[in-house]
Amino acid sequence: MPVPLFATSLAEHMPRIAERLTEVAASGRYILGPEVEAFEGEFAAYLRARHCVGVGNGTDALAIALRALGVAPGDEVVVPSFTFYATAEAVATIGARPVFCDVDPATFCLTPEAVERALTARTRAIVPVHLFGNVAPVAELRRFGLPILEDAAQATGASLNGERAGTLGDAAAFSFFPSKNLGGLGDGGAVVTDDDAVAERVRLLRSHGSRDKQTYTDVGYNSRLDALQAAALRVLLPELDGWNERRRAVAAAYAELGLDGNLVLPEATPGAEHVHHLYVARHARPDELAAHLGAHGIEARSYYRVPVHRQPAMAPYLPEAGPPELPGTDEAAATNLALPMGPELIRSQIEEVVAGCVSGST
Ligand SMILES: Cc1ncc(COP(=O)(O)O)c(C=O)c1O
């Protein structure tokens, strides 16, 4: 039996999901309406946030939230370079300029010192990314006095000092892409905020910038969370904490079985409850180890090998002097290796992965 990178399964919940999808299909209410409102209320309550506004995907959630926070064309937005491309892409799509900062390769998250180096008089917002299910040190970014948009796409259910990721900044973007910790049956996303005015503006922007379909006050988006996705997510949300608990147990088992003898294991930010969207360790020769594991039926892969500031599409946004020096990013990109993770991973598979890492490192 191969050991998959994403050890997740919705099989147990499919009958209930199918039932709920049939009900929504029969209701004829597919765009916004009661199912989306119910999910928005339940997700906000889960996070202990005031507002959740469902949108089409996590990338739109980032772009719409940035605009709702007041970011305008020409403004600079600080983002880590070691992240999924969409974090910076969203900044560029609204005409703003992504300014890349470094990460700590131990936690894979940005640091306040790295952010400070990237600030200029034109900086209008900071986007900390809760990468791989860890939580970025958001409270320490407050001292810069700038709006903070959390990219919480990979950290649904994580927390920092008891507060949920997604409620630590001024607004947060979530993704319900199927592989995420809370994933739907297709694309989906949400903006979460405690700020009434920001929430109102996100609601306006997700529907073409119109409240009444007569007057259009903004050039907006057609980006709503589908009622069918909301129905599926309502079935799955109550499972999230249990799934995340099992993910943490898998991470603990990797450590307990001595994986740190062969790889540098991921560190949580102090005070963070990590949700291990991916279990990403570091190794001097990750490609060789991945090939060795693959030959033993164990899936492993490196993420973001070319960090975002080195992507061709980002060239126009780089300083004239050339790409910034981001040594932590380069180190994370060159050495990271994601190993199998998920609520369905069983003890014998975890042991197989550790044995494979031992035999592949000698
Ligand atoms: C860190 C991060 N930001 C943003 C996104 C974008 O989310 P989506 O794929 O729903 O647009 C993703 C996931 O795909 C992500 O991992």
Side-chain angles (χ1 to χ4, degrees), residues 192-211:
V192 167
T193 182
D194 282 343
D195 186 315
D196 297 353
V198 170
E200 188 48 34
R201 208 151 154 67
V202 172
R203 281 197 189 95
L204 183 73
L205 289 171
R206 77 174 168 178
S207 288
H208 299 288
S210 178
R211 279 190 186 82

Side-chain angles (χ1 to χ4, degrees), residues 203-291:
R203 281 197 189 95
L204 183 73
L205 289 171
R206 77 174 168 178
S207 288
H208 299 288
S210 178
R211 279 190 186 82
D212 58 4
K213 299 185 187 165
Q214 296 292 339
T215 306
Y216 295 82
T217 56
D218 287 86
V219 174
Y221 302 79
N222 176 11
S223 185
R224 277 103 29 154
L225 180 67
D226 272 1
L228 287 165
Q229 292 305 335
L233 291 167
R234 290 186 69 199
V235 175
L236 299 174
L237 178 59
E239 306 302 323
L240 180 62
D241 281 346
W243 286 336
N244 284 341
E245 203 51 60
R246 300 221 293 272
R247 287 174 180 274
R248 275 191 290 276
V250 171
Y254 275 141
E256 178 202 311
L257 288 167
L259 192 62
D260 61 347
N262 301 93
L263 292 114
V264 181
L265 305 190
E267 265 179 40
T269 297
E273 198 164 59
H274 204 304
V275 290
H276 297 288
H277 169 57
L278 288 161
Y279 188 83
V280 185
R282 285 181 294 139
H283 190 270
R285 296 178 308 281
D287 293 341
E288 273 175 41
L289 183 54

Side-chain angles (χ1 to χ4, degrees), residues 29-56:
R29 304 290 302 272
Y30 307 140
I31 305 294
L32 300 180
E35 204 61 35
V36 173
E37 280 169 29
F39 173 72
E40 289 174 336
E42 287 160 13
F43 194 54
Y46 169 81
L47 296 170
R48 296 186 297 277
R50 231 170 120 75
H51 304 281
C52 164
V53 186
V55 297

Side-chain angles (χ1 to χ4, degrees), residues 313-354:
M314 290 295 125
Y317 302 99
L318 297 179
E320 269 173 28
E325 291 279 314
L326 304 175
T329 298
D330 289 337
E331 152 111 31
T335 61
N336 85 83
L337 186 65
L339 300 173
M341 170 49 78
E344 306 294 324
L345 211 63
I346 58 173
R347 184 78 181 186
S348 61
Q349 292 176 308
I350 299 169
E351 287 168 356
E352 253 182 82
V353 174
V354 175

Side-chain angles (χ1 to χ4, degrees), residues 62-100:
L62 285 164
I64 293 172
L66 284 168
R67 284 183 58 185
L69 288 171
V71 177
D75 288 342
E76 292 183 0
V77 177
V78 175
V79 297
S81 174
F82 191 69
T83 179
F84 179 55
Y85 179 68
T87 312
E89 182 187 36
V91 174
T93 61
I94 67 165
R97 172 189 284 257
V99 174
F100 297 99

Side-chain angles (χ1 to χ4, degrees), residues 56-60 62 83-84 86-87 129-131 151-154 174-177 180 187-189 277 304:
N57 54 68
T59 310
D60 285 354
L62 285 164
T83 179
F84 179 55
T87 312
V129 179
H130 303 316
L131 205 68
D151 182 339
Q154 297 190 7
F174 284 88
S175 167
F176 306 120
F177 185 83
K180 298 293 193 259
D187 278 313
H277 169 57
Y304 319 135

